[in-house]
């Protein structure tokens, strides 16, 4: 039986989404435009799109149009003879993780014309990750691309795979014991770019607020902030650098309130400085810190960017939808996915012993982030 026209139309739209013709978050052509392109009735177009909406691939926004909201990936048959490069990622893909979506777009695009399939496992906790790693030999898996966990069990599991010569690539951050391939954002360059932007807008008193830099990514952002400040001959003032302390005894549900209270006090300390010594701009290690500072500034009557400019890091989904859209540093997760897939296909880790990385050596592969300039930075008048 011939496939109904509306199903063929839906499959065409689905294929274009998977191929990147309609990227994540982009608006689809109007129904009228599709009527003209496919030479079908509007009812046929509407029926084809409805199936994609029900599948969670696109969404209609009344008065605005139809948008790509996520990608559906076909399940991989573990008995297939086609080798699988599996991505082990945190959380769920649909509407919740732009990073996972973008990374998978990059991996799929790179593997499209290769003899490999893309495998996907979303893991909510460490036990699920370890269970996936334990399937390396049984899932026809050619390699893993995964986000790391800083735990002894994870390190041991990864170490065993490395000792067996199994290809794997860590993303985003790494741990000292890991001696393999790593792809991450060039956090150092990203922080430098943020400081460069503020200096270009006339700012010389720049504060920095960060989580405890006990992860490689956070240590690199702090180092980039200091390096750029030094390059621009900015006077280093420890009063303008605030580190949110970790409290390992604090229950998880109390961490947000703990951070919020610390930021409120840090904000007050900085603004209580003499006018010539207080910051005119703040750079934060994460967008969520900047978003909390927006709220604290509103409570204390400080206008952003009128009285204080602000830059974040990460470009999380809501950063562009704040009352004052946040200028921020955006990761290129799609680029990281493309590079990871390219390395896997090239056979970088097969049957060769990786040389140990010298202590303190930077990650092997870096993908440069991009500064997204919005409305939270103002230009200071020149003296």
């Amino acid at each position: 039986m011939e496939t109904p026209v509306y199903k063929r139309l839906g499959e065409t739209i689905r294929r274009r989404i998977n191929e990147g013709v309609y990227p994540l978050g982009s608006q689809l052509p109007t129904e009228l435009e599709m009527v003209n392109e496919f030479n079908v009735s509007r009812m046929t177009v509407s029926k084809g799109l409805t199936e994609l909406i029900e599948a969670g691939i696109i969404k209609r926004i009344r008065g605005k149009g139809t948008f790509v909201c996520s990608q559906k990936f076909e399940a991989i048959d573990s008995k297939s003879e086609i080798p699988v490069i599996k991505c082990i990622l945190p959380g769920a893909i649909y509407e919740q993780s732009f990073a996972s979506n973008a990374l998978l777009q990059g991996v799929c695009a790179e593997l499209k014309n290769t003899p490999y399939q893309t495998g996907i496992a979303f893991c909510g906790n460490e036990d699920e990750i370890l269970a996936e790693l334990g399937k390396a030999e049984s899932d026809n898996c050619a390699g893993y691309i995964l986000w790391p966990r800083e735990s002894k069990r994870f390190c041991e599991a990864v170490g065993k795979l490395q000792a067996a010569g199994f290809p794997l690539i860590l993303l985003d951050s790494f741990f000292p014991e890991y001696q393999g391939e790593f792809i991450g954002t060039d956090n150092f360059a990203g922080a430098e770019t943020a400081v460069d932007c503020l200096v270009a807008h006339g700012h010389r008193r720049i504060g920095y607020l960060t989580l405890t830099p006990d992860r490689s990514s956070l240590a690199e952002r702090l180092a980039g902030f200091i390096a750029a400040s030094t390059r621009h001959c900015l006077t280093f003032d420890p009063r303008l650098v605030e580190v949110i302390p970790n409290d390992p005894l604090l229950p998880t549900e109390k961490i947000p309130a703990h951070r919020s209270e610390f930021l409120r006090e840090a904000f007050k300390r900085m603004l209580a400085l003499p006018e010539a010594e207080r910051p005119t701009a703040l750079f934060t290690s994460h967008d969520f810190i900047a978003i909390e500072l927006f709220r604290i500034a509103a409570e204390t009557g400080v206008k952003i960017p009128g009285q204080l400019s602000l830059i974040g890091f990460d470009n999380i989904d809501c950063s562009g939808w704040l009352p004052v859209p946040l200028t921020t540093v955006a990761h290129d997760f799609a680029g990281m996915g493309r590079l990871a897939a390219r390395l896997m296909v090239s056979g970088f880790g097969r049957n060769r012993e990786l040389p140990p990385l010298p202590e303190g050596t930077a990650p092997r592969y870096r993908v440069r982030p991009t500064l997204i300039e919005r409305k939270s930075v103002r230009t200071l008048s020149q003296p």
Side-chain angles (χ1 to χ4, degrees):
M1 179 181 293
E2 185 178 1
T3 304
V5 174
Y6 77 90
K7 284 188 174 292
R8 295 205 304 272
L9 185 145
E11 285 304 314
T12 298
I13 300 301
R14 183 196 296 261
R15 185 174 64 253
R16 290 180 180 180
I17 292 172
N18 286 337
E19 291 175 351
V21 177
Y22 303 140
L24 177 71
S26 66
Q27 184 173 4
L28 295 182
T30 65
E31 289 190 1
L32 183 58
E33 289 171 333
M34 291 189 190
V35 166
N36 294 329
E37 177 183 355
F38 296 105
N39 195 27
V40 296
S41 69
R42 189 159 187 169
M43 182 179 295
T44 298
V45 171
S46 180
K47 194 171 182 181
L49 295 180
T50 296
E51 286 205 341
L52 298 181
I53 292 171
E54 292 174 350
I57 295 172
I58 62 175
K59 60 182 175 183
R60 276 198 188 101
I61 300 178
R62 188 177 181 85
K64 292 187 177 181
T66 306
F67 298 81
V68 180
C69 61
S70 66
Q71 290 197 53
K72 290 283 188 178
F73 297 89
E74 300 300 326
I76 297 298
D77 181 359
S78 62
K79 297 180 181 180
S80 169
E81 294 182 358
I82 301 176
V84 175
I85 293 175
K86 180 174 282 188
C87 302
I88 301 179
L89 305 172
I93 186 171
Y94 308 116
E95 299 282 304
Q96 297 179 17
S97 177
F98 171 77
S100 292
N101 268 306
L103 181 116
L104 287 170
Q105 283 183 333
V107 172
C108 290
E110 193 67 31
L111 296 182
K112 183 171 61 175
N113 297 317
T114 74
Y116 295 91
Q117 295 188 81
T118 305
I120 306 163
F122 292 107
C123 300
N125 56 55
E126 186 174 68
D127 288 336
E128 292 179 4
I129 294 174
L130 297 178
E132 286 295 332
L133 293 178
K135 300 176 183 178
E137 299 300 326
S138 60
D139 265 2
N140 194 32
C141 188
Y144 286 131
I145 299 171
L146 68 157
W147 249 270
R149 302 279 291 206
E150 294 189 24
S151 75
K152 182 178 179 181
R153 290 199 304 159
F154 180 86
C155 294
E156 290 175 347
V158 167
K160 288 179 181 178
L161 289 175
Q162 285 187 290
F166 190 83
L168 55 88
I169 297 174
L170 295 192
L171 301 170
D172 187 55
S173 63
F174 63 99
F175 45 89
E177 298 84 357
Y178 180 68
Q179 299 296 324
E181 306 291 337
F182 164 80
I183 298 174
T185 293
D186 191 338
N187 291 285
F188 186 95
E192 284 195 306
T193 301
V195 175
D196 290 345
C197 171
L198 290 171
V199 171
H201 284 276
H203 296 275
R204 306 290 297 178
R205 299 283 297 174
I206 301 172
Y208 184 60
L209 296 98
T210 177
L211 297 181
T212 302
D214 52 3
R215 293 175 63 91
S216 58
S217 55
L218 291 172
E220 291 158 10
R221 292 176 196 182
L222 176 57
F225 167 77
I226 294 173
S229 299
T230 301
R231 175 163 47 82
H232 288 292
C233 300
L234 305 184
T235 302
F236 180 76
D237 187 342
R239 297 174 300 174
L240 302 188
V241 177
E242 294 279 359
V243 178
I244 303 173
N246 286 336
D247 185 350
L249 301 179
L250 196 67
T252 302
E253 66 273 11
K254 293 187 177 181
I255 290 177
H258 166 73
R259 289 175 175 171
S260 178
E261 184 58 29
F262 179 88
L263 287 172
R264 182 176 288 103
E265 294 303 315
F267 190 80
K268 289 180 180 178
R269 284 193 293 271
M270 287 187 181
L271 295 190
L273 293 171
E275 184 175 359
E277 299 175 15
R278 71 181 61 146
T280 60
L282 296 178
F283 171 40
T284 67
S285 65
H286 295 281
D287 282 354
F288 77 82
I289 297 177
I291 291 170
E292 182 65 19
L293 290 177
F294 265 108
R295 189 173 68 82
I296 295 170
E299 291 175 358
T300 55
V302 176
K303 298 184 184 301
I304 295 176
Q307 295 169 275
L308 186 69
S309 293
L310 191 59
I311 292 185
F313 203 118
D314 287 334
N315 192 34
I316 62 176
D317 292 344
C318 64
S319 62
W321 298 95
L322 297 169
V324 178
L326 178 66
T327 293
T328 184
V329 180
H331 304 271
D332 181 6
F333 286 113
M336 292 168 62
R338 288 192 298 271
L339 178 56
R342 197 175 310 136
L343 287 171
M344 281 287 180
V345 172
S346 72
F348 70 91
R350 291 164 179 76
N351 301 317
R352 73 171 174 87
E353 184 178 350
L354 290 169
L357 295 175
E359 184 177 355
T361 297
R364 192 161 300 182
Y365 300 100
R366 302 291 193 91
V367 177
R368 192 176 183 89
T370 303
L371 183 73
I372 308 296
E373 294 197 57
R374 296 191 177 111
K375 302 293 184 181
S376 62
V377 174
R378 78 180 182 100
T379 301
L380 298 182
S381 57
Q382 298 300 320

